[in-house]
Amino acid sequence: MPKHPVSTFLGLVGILAIPVMVPTTSAFAAKALTTADTDKDGTLEKAEVDAAAGDLFDKLDKEKDGKLSKAEVGTRLSKADFAAADADHDGTLTKDEYIAAVDSAFKAADADGDGKVEAKELKSKAGRSLTRLISF
Ligand SMILES: [Ca+2]
Ligand SMILES: [Ca+2]
Ligand SMILES: [Ca+2]
C-alpha cells in the first residue's frame, strides 16, 4: 500500500490528462481554416475567403486610406504578384484589387476545381499562398 494512496492516484490522473500534442506541421493551414471557415464545414468557400481577405485588408490598412502599400502587404504577395494585382498601376492595392488577387489564389489552390479549398489543398504551395492572403 503506498503511503498516500489518494495523492498517488491524483498524480496518475494528472499524467494521463496531459493532452496529446498535435503535430504542428499544418498549424498555419489549420489556423486559416478555423478563422475563415465560418460555417465550420471544414472547407473554405469563396465567400468565406473573400470575407477573411476583406477583414485582413482592414487590419493591414493601418492608415485607413482604403489602400495597401507594398510595406503594408509585406511578404504576403511576391513583388511580381503585387504588380499583377495592382491593376491600375498606382503602386497600392485597393480592396477590390486585393480581393481579385485572393480570388486567383483561391482558384489556384482549388486543385480539384470543386469551388472549395479543403485542408489538404491548403497545404499545397498554392494553398499556402492563399493562407498568407487571408490570415493575420
Ligand atoms: Ca466553410
Ligand atoms: Ca492599385
Ligand atoms: Ca477543392
Side-chain angles (χ1 to χ4, degrees):
M1 245 340 235
K3 221 173 171 185
H4 302 289
V6 171
S7 59
T8 304
F9 176 69
L10 289 179
L12 193 63
V13 168
I15 290 161
L16 293 176
I18 292 170
V20 177
M21 293 304 289
V22 175
T24 55
T25 43
S26 59
F28 204 48
K31 185 171 172 270
L33 258 185
T34 26
T35 50
D37 181 22
T38 43
D39 66 0
K40 305 290 171 214
D41 66 349
T43 65
L44 297 181
E45 292 82 47
K46 194 165 166 293
E48 291 173 334
V49 166
D50 284 353
D55 284 353
L56 180 61
F57 183 98
D58 294 339
K59 279 185 196 153
L60 296 177
D61 181 18
K62 296 270 189 322
E63 303 131 344
K64 304 289 169 213
D65 62 353
K67 295 167 184 176
L68 294 185
S69 64
K70 278 198 180 87
E72 285 171 330
V73 171
T75 56
R76 289 168 198 279
L77 280 173
S78 71
K79 228 175 170 180
D81 287 344
F82 188 100
D86 183 15
D88 63 358
H89 308 294
D90 70 345
T92 63
L93 298 184
T94 60
K95 194 177 266 191
D96 286 348
E97 288 172 335
Y98 189 77
I99 301 271
V102 170
D103 285 349
S104 32
F106 180 87
K107 280 196 201 98
D110 182 18
D112 61 5
D114 66 350
K116 298 168 184 179
V117 173
E118 298 93 51
K120 68 168 177 358
E121 289 174 337
L122 268 184
K123 288 178 207 158
S124 69
K125 192 167 178 280
R128 288 198 303 273
S129 302
L130 175 66
T131 303
R132 278 198 295 277
L133 293 173
I134 60 166
S135 53
F136 194 57

